Amino acid sequence: MYNKFMTFIKRIIQSFLRGPIFVILFGMIFFGIGGGLTYRQMVVQQNSIQVQGEVIAYMPNCDDEGCTYHSVVNFQTRDGNPITHMSSFASSPPAHEIGETVTVFYAPDNPEDAFIKGEGIIFRTVFMIVGGVIILVGFIFFSFKIRYSILSEEK
């Protein structure tokens, strides 16, 4: 009984190490990047001051494939200092309309370090979804290898 159990465990480990582990690790990297960026944004948001800002312009970023646009926002700190901030994320079409009011978060000690609420959510979500799908494919691949291993043992 013990030998059968140990043989079964050995087959599971061998099946796992022959491919699915690399697919699962690759998926975990994608998922981890998306999750890490989301966590970082949440922490920064909790430690930031929230104010309203107005989109005043777009900063185009063009190449051979077309243009993407960074939103440029004006906001005032709680002390009344005016700040102009260009979003670090670009999109096509632009993410906001000129004149639109947006929520801006900025660091209390450095108002230039700001971000617009919701920036990068699609990027982070895509990374997490792609990572999750790759992990799922890795586990499906693993289950087929285990099934094949068990069926070949019975023959």
Side-chain angles (χ1 to χ4, degrees), residues 35-70:
L37 290 172
T38 300
Y39 177 76
R40 181 182 172 278
Q41 180 113 7
M42 287 173 39
V43 168
V44 169
Q45 190 170 322
Q46 288 176 348
N47 297 324
S48 297
I49 296 173
Q50 178 180 335
V51 295
Q52 297 299 306
E54 180 183 353
V55 178
I56 59 165
Y58 304 130
M59 183 64 65
N61 184 13
C62 300
D63 59 20
D64 293 340
E65 296 178 12
C67 293
T68 56
Y69 303 91
H70 297 267

Side-chain angles (χ1 to χ4, degrees), residues 45-100:
Q45 190 170 322
Q46 288 176 348
N47 297 324
S48 297
I49 296 173
Q50 178 180 335
V51 295
Q52 297 299 306
E54 180 183 353
V55 178
I56 59 165
Y58 304 130
M59 183 64 65
N61 184 13
C62 300
D63 59 20
D64 293 340
E65 296 178 12
C67 293
T68 56
Y69 303 91
H70 297 267
S71 296
V72 179
V73 178
N74 265 352
F75 67 93
Q76 284 190 350
T77 64
R78 287 199 174 153
D79 299 336
N81 297 326
I83 303 287
T84 300
H85 168 72
M86 184 177 74
S87 171
S88 57
F89 289 93
S91 63
S92 180
H96 306 97
E97 298 291 327
I98 291 180
E100 180 179 346

Side-chain angles (χ1 to χ4, degrees), residues 7-58:
T7 302
F8 178 72
I9 296 298
K10 185 177 179 182
R11 284 182 183 262
I12 288 174
I13 292 170
Q14 287 174 343
S15 295
F16 193 65
L17 293 177
R18 286 193 183 138
I21 185 82
F22 301 110
V23 175
I24 292 168
L25 287 174
F26 186 69
M28 289 175 74
I29 290 169
F30 264 82
F31 192 84
I33 289 170
L37 290 172
T38 300
Y39 177 76
R40 181 182 172 278
Q41 180 113 7
M42 287 173 39
V43 168
V44 169
Q45 190 170 322
Q46 288 176 348
N47 297 324
S48 297
I49 296 173
Q50 178 180 335
V51 295
Q52 297 299 306
E54 180 183 353
V55 178
I56 59 165
Y58 304 130

Side-chain angles (χ1 to χ4, degrees), residues 1 6 12 14 22 25 36 39 49 57 73-74 78 88 94 101 103-104 111 113 120 123 127 135 146 148 151-152:
M1 177 77 169
M6 290 310 293
I12 288 174
Q14 287 174 343
F22 301 110
L25 287 174
Y39 177 76
I49 296 173
V73 178
N74 265 352
R78 287 199 174 153
S88 57
T101 300
T103 302
V104 178
D113 184 16
F123 176 77
F127 260 76
I135 291 168
I146 289 293
Y148 176 76
L151 291 176
S152 66

